[in-house]
């Protein structure tokens, strides 16, 4: 018997290439979820990783950086972004 | 003379007299002429002439008066006694005119003169005597005849006859008996020239007549069987009313044909009027018959409400209440008035007012509407189920529920109907949901305030909550295409009906969310249509927003529960129908967003977004893969999910076929190339695979689950060499595998392996040669043949020239046998089932028999059409079954 697979409709899930169960340090949502303002995860709510290797939802960290008090430092380790 | 009067006193009269002593005790027959009781005179008194003086004298002694009175009494009573009732009734002239003067004088003496009964004595007055005489005559002459007439059995058709006969007889009797009183006695009494004696009360004629009438009527009533009279009168009134208003009979047993013409109705009406006047004049009407009329009218009303006039309007769907009200006003009340007017001709209350007082008309209309409403409520469940053809019935109820007590009755009765007919284990959830949708619609029409709906819906909602498949059915129905359902219903497919509520699906055609605009109904001061809440609304009653169907369905559960359910079902849907554009799903998500709040629906939106996005990604990645090279001819499409937002998915892991695995890796690489910082994680068990199997004598194409594809791929000829079980890779061989081997090879769950093996055996691709060992069935065995190897391998297997290897022949033979063995093991059950089914359900095509077997056999029916045909063929040989082409039925021989 010769088996030919004509079409394979598979299902896969994407994840950010991050350690499991880690959450954004600002909004406390998982990386795979969105920041509190976005609706769709992934392309529309990407992650940003600072030099210090701390990652946040892009929108979260932008909002943080725009605050005066932040002094453009990482909220986790106080290093400059 | 005495004998003449004694003889007619028949036995019956004697009995009558013995019971009703009024006449017997005090009545005296006229004194015979031969024995005038002259009395005696006191000494010193001269014998005066009997009629010597009509001047009453103070000195006259009591004895003299007595003598005189006796004489006058005798002549007056003798004269009045001449009157023969029987003759009068037969129309013979009665001689009363020529009254001799002595009789006149005697009467005057008795009525107005000294002959009047003294206050303290128990002397009888002449009028009383005559009254008694009249009664006696009636009892003697008329009553027996009537009594026998009434005692006889007669059916209801002769109602008219007996009533008319009785009435006319009594009217006549009354007239004749009253005549002497009016013609002779009254003129004497009322003669104005007469000087009234002190001892005598001033008598006017009217009380005398009415007293006489009263006595006589009492006798009439005695003569007629009161119970039966009432019965007949009631029947007559109802029957006439039905004829007049063209109310058809229930059984129509007396063949009341078409509607009567106007003239006929008029005739009936006149006849009735005459009869009733008669009844009124002889005293059988009046108070006595009021309750008879009441009962008759109530019956007539019931009849009318049940009649075709008050049928539910299924066509124009209008309310019949207007017709009913009009009928009550113009027909019913008039009829009633007419009857009462006739019956109360001689009542003292005077003439009836010709117009009906508005209050009593309204009361009567209310009663009529109440009857109608109750009739409708009794069948309310049936009306609801037949919504919206039954709109007319619901509209009828609108008027009814304004009456006191009606709303309670309606909710109470309907709830009972619901619990008896709907809310039990026998009804499927989708049926209940369908009916619930109808109820919502119907009760919104009935009571826009929603109080009734609130009450009625409560038990249904509670019940629906208890069923575990409710939420699923609601969501599935919302997702289902109505046109699809209708098409399925037409083709009679089986899976529909059990799992989908058509009404909910229909509702999705108009998913507009108009529920939100009416929040501040009570605070809208400018609203001129404002009405207070109905009386049975609770103090803090607020119209729930669940007025429209979808909203009420969605509020059945807590929001969260619903969304969880929705996520599951939507996820399943999205993964199942990969090729559609998901328009319906998008609409549904939008709808839910409006109803349940946007924030809750993020997951669903993400899911939708994912599947749509996946299509684009597929195109991109496949394009780039194809650019490199085309290998295996297979295509990999992936749905890339944002796992965080999807419901937990099935994560059984197993090894997919090597080429697919390679493709997946390539795909993942492509994906990571497009999307930075992300990686893919495959769900091997999800998705769908289209495979094509090339066997020696046939091809098999179709869709299957990924694990099924993986299992069948393990039997591929190219794999067999890898597994090392076969040693000749150049040849087409049929490797055999055990479940254990497959489990290890594919690292798959035993459950999945078995499922896949079953699937392929059912499709006759694999064969279980011995328990737990499977092989490919390269060639299908010929029907009934033991080794169909050569016979069956005609067409495509012609390429196979060399005889199979030694092991294979045996395996193949055993494979066939094993298949047959399994069939033979259960053959009795199958045969029994088939014969039973054909007996019960009539002729059936083979395909349907197969389907039924597959559906109902415990443990499944792992065979195909051919086996069923074989079974049927044997049954035909045994003459238990007859086959006509492809359709088989039980032989009737």
């Amino acid at each position: 018997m010769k088996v030919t697979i004509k079409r394979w409709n598979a299902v896969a899930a994407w994840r950010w290439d991050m350690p499991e169960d880690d959450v954004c340090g600002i909004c406390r949502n998982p990386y795979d979820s969105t920041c509190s303002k976005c609706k769709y995860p992934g392309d529309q709510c990407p992650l940003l990783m600072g030099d210090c290797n701390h990652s946040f939802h892009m929108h979260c960290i932008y909002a943080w950086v725009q605050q005066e008090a932040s002094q453009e430092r990482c909220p986790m380790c106080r290093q400059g972004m | 003379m005495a004998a003449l009067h004694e003889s007619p006193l028949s036995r019956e009269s004697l009995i009558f007299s013995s019971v009703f002593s009024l006449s017997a005790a005090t009545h005296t027959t006229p004194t015979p002429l031969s024995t005038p009781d002259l009395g005696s005179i006191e000494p010193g008194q001269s014998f005066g002439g009997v009629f010597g003086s009509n001047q009453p004298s103070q000195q006259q002694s009591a004895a003299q008066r007595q003598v005189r009175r006796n004489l006058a009494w005798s002549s007056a009573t003798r004269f009045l006694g001449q009157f023969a009732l029987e003759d009068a009734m037969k129309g013979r002239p009665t001689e009363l005119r020529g009254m001799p003067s002595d009789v006149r004088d005697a009467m005057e003496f008795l009525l107005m003169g000294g002959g009047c009964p003294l206050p303290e004595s128990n002397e009888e007055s002449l009028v009383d005597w005559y009254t008694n005489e009249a009664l006696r005559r009636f009892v003697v002459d008329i009553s027996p005849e009537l009594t026998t007439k009434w005692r006889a059995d007669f059916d209801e058709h002769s109602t008219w006859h007996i009533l008319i006969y009785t009435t006319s007889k009594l009217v006549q009797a009354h007239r004749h008996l009253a005549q002497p009183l009016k013609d002779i006695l009254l003129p004497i009494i009322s003669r104005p020239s007469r000087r009234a004696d002190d001892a005598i009360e001033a008598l006017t004629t009217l009380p005398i007549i009415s007293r006489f009438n009263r006595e006589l009527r009492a006798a009439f009533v005695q003569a007629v069987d009161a119970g039966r009279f009432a019965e007949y009168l009631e029947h007559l009134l109802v029957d006439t009313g039905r004829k007049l208003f063209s109310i058809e009979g229930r059984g129509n047993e007396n063949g009341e044909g078409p509607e009567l013409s106007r003239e006929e109705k008029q005739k009936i009406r006149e006849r009735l009027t005459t009869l009733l006047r008669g009844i009124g004049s002889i005293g059988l009407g009046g108070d006595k018959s009021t309750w008879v009329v009441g009962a008759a009218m109530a019956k007539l009303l019931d009849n009318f409400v049940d009649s075709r006039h008050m049928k539910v309007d299924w066509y124009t769907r209008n309310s019949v209440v207007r017709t009913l009200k009009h009928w009550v006003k113009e027909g019913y009340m008039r009829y009633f008035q007419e009857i009462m007017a006739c019956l109360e001709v001689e009542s003292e209350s005077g003439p009836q007012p010709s117009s009906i007082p508005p209050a009593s008309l309204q009361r009567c209309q209310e009663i009529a509407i109440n009857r109608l409403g109750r009739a409708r409520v009794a069948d309310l469940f049936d009306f609801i189920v037949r919504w919206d053809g039954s709109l007319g019935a619901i509209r009828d109820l609108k008027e009814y529920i304004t009456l006191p007590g009606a709303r309670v009755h309606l909710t109470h009765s309907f709830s009972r109907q619901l619990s008896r007919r709907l809310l039990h284990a026998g009804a499927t959830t989708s049926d209940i949901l369908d009916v619930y949708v109808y109820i919502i619609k119907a009760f919104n029409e009935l009571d826009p305030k929603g109080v009734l709906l609130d009450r009625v819906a409560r038990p249904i909602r509670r019940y629906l909550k208890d069923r575990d498949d409710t939420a699923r059915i609601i969501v599935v129905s919302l997702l289902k295409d109505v046109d699809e359902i209708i098409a399925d219903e037409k083709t009679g497919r089986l899976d529909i009906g059990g799992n989908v509520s058509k009404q909910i699906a229909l509702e999705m055609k108009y998913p507009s969310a108009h529920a939100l605009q009416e929040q501040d109904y009570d605070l809208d001061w400018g609203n001129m249509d404002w009405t207070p809440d109905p009386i049975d609304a609770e103090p803090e009653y607020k119209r729930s927003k669940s007025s429209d169907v979808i909203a009420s369905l969605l509020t059945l559960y807590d929001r969260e529960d619903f969304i969880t359910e929705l996520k599951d079902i939507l996820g399943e849907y999205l993964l199942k129908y990969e090729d559609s554009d998901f328009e319906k799903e998008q609409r549904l998500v939008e709808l839910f967003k409006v109803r349940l709040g946007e924030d809750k629906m993020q997951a669903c939106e993400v899911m939708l977004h994912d599947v749509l996005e996946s299509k684009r990604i597929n195109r991109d990645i496949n394009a780039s893969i194809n650019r490199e090279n085309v290998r295996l001819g297979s295509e990999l499409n992936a749905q890339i999910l944002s796992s965080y937002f999807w419901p937990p998915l099935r994560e059984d892991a197993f090894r997919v076929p090597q080429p697919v695995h390679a493709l997946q890796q390539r795909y993942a690489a492509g994906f990571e190339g497009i999307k930075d910082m992300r990686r893919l994680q495959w769900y091997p068990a999800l998705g769908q695979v289209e495979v094509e199997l090339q066997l020696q004598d046939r091809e098999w194409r179709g869709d299957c689950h990924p694990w099924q594809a993986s299992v069948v791929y393990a039997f591929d000829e190219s794999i067999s060499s890898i597994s090392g079980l076969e040693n000749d890779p150049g040849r087409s061989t049929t490797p055999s595998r055990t479940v254990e081997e497959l489990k290890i090879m594919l690292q798959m769950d035993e459950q999945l392996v078995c499922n896949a093996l079953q699937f392929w055996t059912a499709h006759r691709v694999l064969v279980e040669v011995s328990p737990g060992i499977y092989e490919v069935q390269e060639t299908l065995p010929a029907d009934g043949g033991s080794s169909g190897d050569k016979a069956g391998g005609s067409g495509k297997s012609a390429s196979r020239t060399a005889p199979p290897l030694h092991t294979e022949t045996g395996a193949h033979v055993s494979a066939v046998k094993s298949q047959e063995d399994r069939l033979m093991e259960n053959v009795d059950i199958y045969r029994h089932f088939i014969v039973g089914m054909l007996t019960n359900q009539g002729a059936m095509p083979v395909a349907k028999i197969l389907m039924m077997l597959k559906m109902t056999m415990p443990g499944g029916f792992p065979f195909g059409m051919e086996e069923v045909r074989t079974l049927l063929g044997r049954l035909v040989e045994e003459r238990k079954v007859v086959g006509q082409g492809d359709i088989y039925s039980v032989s009737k021989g």
Side-chain angles (χ1 to χ4, degrees):
Chain A
M1 179 178 66
K2 192 170 175 331
V3 179
T4 319
I5 291 168
K6 306 288 283 185
R7 190 168 46 80
W8 189 289
N9 287 336
V11 176
W14 65 263
R15 290 183 162 280
W16 290 108
D17 203 358
M18 290 283 166
E20 294 246 344
D21 300 333
D22 210 351
V23 294
C24 165
I26 296 174
C27 67
R28 313 301 293 174
N29 284 341
Y31 290 128
D32 292 333
S33 175
T34 62
C35 72
S36 44
K37 287 171 197 150
C38 280
K39 191 186 258 181
Y40 300 113
D43 291 343
Q44 292 184 20
C45 190
L47 300 188
L48 272 189
M49 192 181 272
D51 294 337
C52 57
N53 268 350
H54 284 125
S55 327
F56 308 97
H57 289 125
M58 187 179 79
H59 301 117
C60 296
I61 195 68
Y62 273 10
W64 167 254
V65 166
Q66 274 165 14
Q67 287 177 17
E68 287 282 320
S70 69
Q71 296 171 327
E72 304 199 0
R73 288 170 190 275
C74 166
M76 306 288 277
C77 61
R78 295 280 159 195
Q79 285 188 38
M81 295 296 286
Chain B
M1 205 63 179
L4 189 104
H5 285 290
E6 290 299 327
S7 58
L9 272 172
S10 63
R11 226 179 111 238
E12 277 174 359
S13 308
L14 283 171
I15 295 168
F16 182 85
S17 309
S18 71
V19 176
F20 304 101
S21 55
L22 72 152
S23 60
T26 58
H27 190 63
T28 53
T29 50
T31 318
L33 259 184
S34 50
T35 56
D37 178 9
L38 295 175
S40 59
I41 53 165
E42 278 177 29
Q45 291 275 325
S46 64
F47 289 98
V50 173
F51 308 116
S53 163
N54 52 8
Q55 296 284 326
S57 157
Q58 294 294 330
Q59 289 83 27
Q60 227 170 0
S61 72
Q64 273 178 324
R65 181 186 163 275
Q66 191 62 43
V67 170
R68 197 162 167 222
R69 191 171 188 272
N70 281 350
L71 283 173
W73 186 264
S74 142
S75 70
T77 52
R78 198 169 55 243
F79 178 75
L80 285 172
Q82 286 171 3
F83 166 69
L85 179 63
E86 248 176 316
D87 290 348
M89 294 294 277
K90 281 170 187 154
R92 266 176 247 150
T94 47
E95 296 298 329
L96 277 179
R97 297 274 164 196
M99 182 160 53
S101 63
D102 57 335
V103 174
R104 175 179 294 275
D105 288 343
M107 282 184 185
E108 277 178 13
F109 173 72
L110 287 171
L111 288 168
M112 305 301 291
C116 280
L118 297 171
E120 281 84 28
S121 71
N122 52 359
E123 284 174 332
E124 204 180 8
S125 82
L126 192 61
V127 175
D128 287 344
W129 178 85
Y130 181 71
T131 309
N132 280 340
E133 171 72 10
L135 290 179
R136 194 185 62 81
R137 279 165 181 272
F138 171 74
V139 168
V140 171
D141 295 341
I142 310 287
S143 185
E145 192 187 344
L146 279 178
T147 313
T148 37
K149 224 17 181 204
W150 276 89
R151 209 167 279 162
D153 281 327
F154 42 89
D155 55 0
E156 47 184 42
H157 300 300
S158 53
T159 315
W160 269 105
H161 174 73
I162 182 85
L163 283 177
I164 286 177
Y165 173 80
T166 311
T167 312
S168 64
K169 206 73 179 183
L170 292 179
V171 166
Q172 251 182 333
H174 180 247
R175 199 173 60 237
H176 290 304
L177 290 173
Q179 205 161 15
L181 183 75
K182 280 184 188 152
D183 289 352
I184 303 165
L185 300 180
L186 292 184
I188 297 173
I189 292 169
S190 62
R191 192 169 297 162
S193 62
R194 284 290 153 197
R195 182 179 61 87
D197 193 272
D198 294 335
I200 301 168
E201 299 276 325
L203 292 171
T204 49
T205 54
L206 207 60
I208 295 177
I209 293 178
S210 70
R211 211 167 74 86
F212 176 76
N213 284 348
R214 203 163 56 236
E215 296 280 341
L216 204 56
R217 280 169 188 171
F220 288 170
V221 172
Q222 299 288 353
V224 176
D225 183 338
R228 291 183 89 175
F229 179 77
E231 193 184 314
Y232 291 137
L233 185 61
E234 185 185 326
H235 179 264
L236 183 81
L237 290 175
V238 173
D239 191 52
T240 316
R242 286 165 55 140
K243 278 188 184 131
L244 288 177
F245 301 122
S246 317
I247 301 169
E248 74 281 10
R250 261 276 156 91
N252 220 8
E253 71 285 342
N254 35 4
E256 287 157 326
E259 211 172 299
L260 298 169
S261 70
R262 226 185 154 71
E263 291 76 37
E264 281 173 301
K265 280 186 186 173
Q266 193 53 41
K267 231 183 262 170
I268 292 178
R269 210 176 192 122
E270 276 164 14
R271 211 165 138 208
L272 181 74
T273 317
T274 327
L275 176 67
L276 291 177
R277 287 232 166 85
I279 291 176
S281 71
I282 56 170
L284 290 172
D287 293 344
K288 290 227 166 56
S289 57
T290 310
W291 67 270
V292 176
V293 177
M297 293 313 278
K299 223 181 217 175
L300 188 61
L301 190 62
D302 279 347
N303 274 328
F304 187 77
V305 169
D306 290 341
S307 74
R308 72 187 150 84
H309 300 282
M310 289 292 110
K311 278 220 170 92
V312 177
D313 191 345
W314 295 92
Y315 299 102
T316 58
R317 299 176 185 182
N318 285 322
S319 171
V320 294
V321 169
R322 274 176 63 106
T323 327
L324 180 67
K325 277 177 147 181
H326 183 259
W327 176 76
V328 168
K329 189 177 172 193
E330 298 299 327
Y332 185 72
M333 286 303 272
R334 298 234 161 144
Y335 182 58
F336 176 68
Q337 268 193 314
E338 220 171 281
I339 292 172
M340 289 317 283
C342 293
L343 284 178
E344 293 183 2
V345 154
E346 292 201 10
S347 72
E348 288 86 356
S349 61
Q352 286 273 313
S354 58
S355 69
I356 311 151
S360 62
L361 173 66
Q362 199 193 341
R363 178 85 195 102
C364 199
Q365 284 175 338
E366 274 175 14
I367 293 172
I369 291 169
N370 195 20
R371 302 253 159 138
L372 181 70
R374 279 180 178 257
R376 293 285 188 267
V377 167
D379 298 328
L380 188 56
F381 186 79
D382 295 301
F383 292 131
I384 296 278
V385 172
R386 284 164 189 76
W387 181 262
D388 53 347
S390 58
L391 189 59
I394 303 297
R395 288 188 171 148
D396 291 343
L397 281 172
K398 267 185 114 158
E399 192 99 7
Y400 167 68
I401 57 169
T402 60
L403 301 180
R407 297 171 71 98
V408 175
H409 174 249
L410 185 138
T411 48
H412 194 74
S413 162
F414 187 63
S415 296
R416 234 184 10 243
Q417 290 174 37
L418 273 182
S419 58
R420 190 166 52 85
R421 297 183 58 178
L422 188 68
L423 303 181
H424 52 72
T428 63
T429 309
S430 52
D431 283 346
I432 299 177
L433 283 169
D434 274 354
V435 174
Y436 183 37
V437 173
Y438 288 139
I439 289 175
I440 292 170
K441 289 179 172 173
F443 275 74
N444 272 334
E445 170 71 29
L446 184 63
D447 175 35
K449 285 269 182 178
V451 180
L452 290 181
L453 175 63
D454 191 53
R455 301 210 162 167
V456 170
R458 228 171 264 175
I460 308 178
R461 293 172 71 91
R462 205 178 312 130
Y463 188 81
L464 279 173
K465 254 186 231 178
D466 287 348
R467 289 216 172 184
D468 12 326
D469 54 348
T470 307
R472 165 161 289 267
I473 288 182
I474 291 174
V475 177
V476 169
S477 310
L478 289 173
L479 279 169
K480 195 86 184 174
D481 202 0
V482 182
D483 305 329
E484 213 174 290
I485 296 178
I486 293 168
D488 282 344
E489 275 180 348
K490 272 182 193 153
T491 52
R493 221 186 290 171
L494 282 168
D495 57 331
I496 300 303
N499 302 321
V500 178
S501 159
K502 186 181 163 199
Q503 290 309 315
I504 298 179
L506 270 173
E507 206 55 34
M508 270 302 274
K509 280 192 160 179
Y510 333 94
S512 61
H514 50 76
L516 298 173
Q517 65 204 8
E518 43 172 285
Q519 297 145 337
D520 281 337
Y521 179 76
D522 282 329
L523 296 175
D524 182 6
W525 309 115
N527 184 1
M528 287 297 125
D529 295 330
W530 183 88
T531 46
D533 284 338
I535 45 163
D536 53 345
E538 285 153 30
E540 286 296 301
Y541 178 76
K542 249 194 125 179
R543 187 186 204 295
S544 63
K545 296 213 178 70
S546 60
S547 60
D548 75 322
V549 174
I550 292 180
S552 9
L553 292 173
L554 295 188
T555 48
L556 260 182
Y557 290 90
D558 287 341
R559 211 167 265 209
E560 316 298 331
D561 293 351
F562 225 107
I563 290 172
T564 319
E565 192 77 30
L566 176 71
K567 257 164 77 176
D568 289 358
I569 293 167
L570 189 69
E572 207 172 284
Y573 248 77
L574 293 176
L575 292 179
K576 197 157 138 201
Y577 301 105
E578 309 174 339
D579 297 332
S580 76
D581 291 331
F582 303 114
E583 267 179 43
K584 188 125 184 124
E585 286 77 3
Q586 287 185 32
R587 258 176 67 191
L588 183 74
V589 169
E590 288 300 316
L591 170 85
F592 275 72
K593 261 162 73 178
V594 175
R595 307 278 177 160
L596 301 179
E598 195 152 346
D599 49 324
K600 314 267 181 196
M601 296 300 293
Q602 189 194 7
C604 295
E605 282 185 274
V606 171
M607 283 156 71
L608 260 176
H609 184 259
D610 279 346
V611 288
L612 295 172
E613 182 78 2
S614 301
K615 290 193 176 180
R616 204 175 53 78
I617 299 176
N618 276 334
R619 259 200 314 277
D620 286 358
I621 296 180
N622 276 328
S624 71
I625 292 175
N626 286 345
R627 238 174 282 132
E628 293 172 27
N629 55 357
V630 184
R631 219 183 52 170
L632 246 163
S634 59
E635 179 190 351
L636 178 75
N637 288 316
Q639 305 232 47
I640 318 283
L641 315 179
S642 311
S643 60
Y644 181 77
F645 294 95
W646 283 71
L649 297 170
R650 213 187 155 122
E651 291 192 49
D652 320 79
F654 53 86
R655 256 190 220 165
V656 295
Q658 182 55 35
V660 177
H661 185 65
L663 264 177
Q664 282 183 345
Q665 278 180 334
R666 199 177 285 268
Y667 190 99
F671 179 81
E672 280 157 30
I674 302 173
K675 312 272 182 187
D676 201 20
M677 272 173 70
R678 290 192 240 175
R679 55 194 158 75
L680 281 184
Q681 181 193 341
W682 297 96
Y683 289 108
L686 300 179
Q688 214 175 18
V689 183
E690 185 186 338
V691 291
E692 185 182 290
L693 308 176
Q694 281 171 343
L695 295 141
Q696 282 181 9
D697 61 344
R698 67 199 187 278
E699 283 187 1
W700 190 94
R701 286 185 80 138
D703 288 344
C704 61
H705 292 294
W707 65 86
Q708 291 165 343
S710 297
V711 167
V712 80
Y713 193 78
F715 289 89
D716 184 64
E717 51 196 18
S718 62
I719 309 289
S720 56
S721 59
I722 303 164
S723 69
L725 284 171
E726 298 297 326
N727 48 11
D728 198 352
R731 283 194 170 277
S732 64
T733 54
T734 53
S736 66
R737 305 241 184 266
T738 65
V739 177
E740 280 305 311
E741 275 172 14
L742 287 168
K743 260 171 73 180
I744 295 163
M745 231 174 97
L746 302 170
Q747 299 185 343
M748 200 188 272
D749 249 13
E750 182 166 348
Q751 203 189 342
L752 284 184
V753 175
C754 290
N755 173 286
L757 288 172
Q758 261 174 24
F759 175 82
W760 292 116
T761 357
H763 283 89
R764 310 232 294 171
V765 172
L766 298 183
V767 131
E768 189 174 16
V769 282
S770 54
I773 301 176
Y774 289 84
E775 277 189 1
V776 177
Q777 191 165 32
E778 287 286 0
T779 53
L780 283 178
D783 285 350
S786 56
S787 68
D789 187 61
K790 277 159 195 150
S794 53
K796 284 178 186 168
S797 65
S799 60
R800 210 175 108 172
T801 46
L805 292 172
H806 60 286
T807 49
E808 203 200 42
T809 319
H812 193 80
V813 171
S814 72
V816 174
K817 274 207 170 150
S818 137
Q819 188 85 338
E820 274 207 325
D821 282 346
R822 287 192 63 181
L823 191 62
M824 289 312 291
E825 274 170 30
N826 294 321
V827 75
D828 284 334
I829 304 174
Y830 296 150
R831 282 161 49 115
H832 197 75
F833 181 83
I834 291 174
V835 172
M837 183 168 64
L838 293 178
T839 315
N840 286 329
Q841 307 197 5
M844 267 188 205
V846 176
K848 192 162 178 201
I849 295 176
L850 174 64
M851 188 195 68
M852 293 299 288
L853 281 168
K854 285 199 177 212
M855 266 178 25
T856 46
M857 275 295 135
F861 185 76
F863 309 103
M865 296 272 265
E866 288 312 310
E867 282 81 359
V868 178
R869 285 222 174 82
T870 322
L871 276 174
L872 286 166
R874 283 188 208 157
L875 285 168
V876 169
E877 279 174 17
E878 292 167 32
R879 301 189 170 219
K880 285 186 175 165
V881 162
V882 200
Q884 275 190 333
D886 211 26
I887 296 174
Y888 290 83
S889 59
V890 184
S891 98
K892 293 189 179 71

